[in-house]
Amino acid sequence: MEITQIWNSLVVEPLMHLLSANSAVIYSLKPSATDPNGPFQLTFVSENLSQVLGYSPSECLSNHEWWPQSVHPEDREKLQNVHKKESITL
């Protein structure tokens, strides 16, 4: 068995199951590569997004504007200022 297959069966597959079985949508963001003060880019979103919000993960990951457009209007200012803080509560 190749190391990649071992890694996938021992780490990736159980992790993906855990993320998908969770009732919360798990996601990750990264700062813009071209503008450190610009909007964050969505880099990962769990498969259960479609069950929770009705969007497919691929739909969200392929549209760089999905994340900022989907945030509730009252929380957008907090999101725009998140790069200035270590954490944020929405």
Side-chain angles (χ1 to χ4, degrees):
M1 192 180 259
E2 275 186 48
I3 189 73
T4 303
Q5 292 172 320
I6 294 170
W7 176 259
N8 285 339
S9 65
L10 294 177
V11 177
V12 176
E13 291 171 13
L15 178 60
M16 294 309 290
H17 173 73
L18 178 66
L19 294 176
S20 296
N22 194 317
S23 62
V25 174
I26 310 297
Y27 62 91
S28 67
L29 301 169
K30 72 175 184 176
S32 169
T34 57
D35 181 3
N37 295 320
F40 283 77
Q41 296 175 348
L42 188 64
T43 59
F44 172 83
V45 63
S46 56
E47 289 293 323
N48 66 340
L49 178 71
S50 57
Q51 295 170 333
V52 176
L53 296 177
Y55 297 98
S56 72
S58 60
E59 177 183 3
C60 301
L61 292 169
S62 65
N63 177 0
H64 293 294
E65 294 299 316
W66 182 86
W67 176 254
Q69 291 173 351
S70 299
V71 173
H72 191 280
E74 293 176 7
D75 294 326
R76 286 190 182 140
E77 184 177 341
K78 292 179 188 177
L79 183 64
Q80 291 170 347
N81 294 323
V82 71
H83 68 274
K84 297 175 185 176
K85 299 179 181 179
E86 291 182 17
S87 65
I88 184 171
T89 303
L90 295 178

